[in-house]
Amino acid sequence: MLHEELKEEILRQLAEYGERGINLDLAEQITKSACEKAKEVGVPISAAVVDAGGNLIVHLRMDGALLISVDAAFSKAYTSASLESPTGSLHERTVPEGELYGLHTMFGGRYCVFGGGLPLFRAGRLVGAVGISGGTVEEDTLIAEAAVSACPEFSWSKK
């Protein structure tokens, strides 16, 4: 029930906010959806939402989430926004001999190359990204996908 209410609120805010991008209210709704899914999965997480420039809009840490998840969630969101790509798609490309080998060591280790980060596209335009950390790579990815799916106006692919 709460998931449907969040969806309706997100759609209302999208209509009000227009085509410009993502605001604090929308970012908070996305993180609330992430927390709802995390509770369902049974894993405490940290969630971060950034704008298209990788600037933090909102961040939260659930009770019991690992300390490392705080920085990892932001790094996943930042990486997804910077590269307009899910972080899970980067791992194979950053291993030795990969085309992006060493990416994760650049810029003070800011880039994160394992799952849990998804870009947010609206009408084919990058508007931000979400990063989830605290569970396994599979759990983080599942939770990130659920958070983005809570808002049908957003997609994690350019389409």
Side-chain angles (χ1 to χ4, degrees), residues 10-11 14-15 19 121-124 127 148-155:
I10 289 171
L11 289 173
L14 281 171
E19 295 284 331
F121 290 99
R122 184 162 184 228
V127 295
V148 176
S149 295
C151 181
E153 293 291 320
F154 292 136
S155 170

Side-chain angles (χ1 to χ4, degrees), residues 13 16 26 44 53 75 83 86 88 96 116 125 141:
Q13 288 181 24
E16 183 180 304
L26 288 170
S75 291
L83 299 175
R125 184 173 65 92
T141 301

Side-chain angles (χ1 to χ4, degrees), residues 9 21 29 31 34 42 65 75 83 86 94 117 119 124 127-128 134 145-147:
E9 177 61 15
Q29 294 295 337
T31 56
S75 291
L83 299 175
T94 58
V127 295
E145 289 173 355

Side-chain angles (χ1 to χ4, degrees), residues 76 79-81 83-91 93 112-121 130 141 145 156-158:
K76 289 177 183 186
T79 302
S80 285
L83 299 175
E84 297 187 12
S85 176
T87 56
S89 70
L90 298 172
H91 180 73
R93 297 165 56 197
C112 185
V113 297
F114 46 90
L118 295 174
L120 296 170
F121 290 99
V130 61
T141 301
E145 289 173 355
W156 59 84
S157 64
K158 271 190 176 176

Side-chain angles (χ1 to χ4, degrees), residues 137-152:
V137 170
E138 292 78 17
E139 289 168 336
D140 291 350
T141 301
L142 176 72
I143 293 165
E145 289 173 355
V148 176
S149 295
C151 181

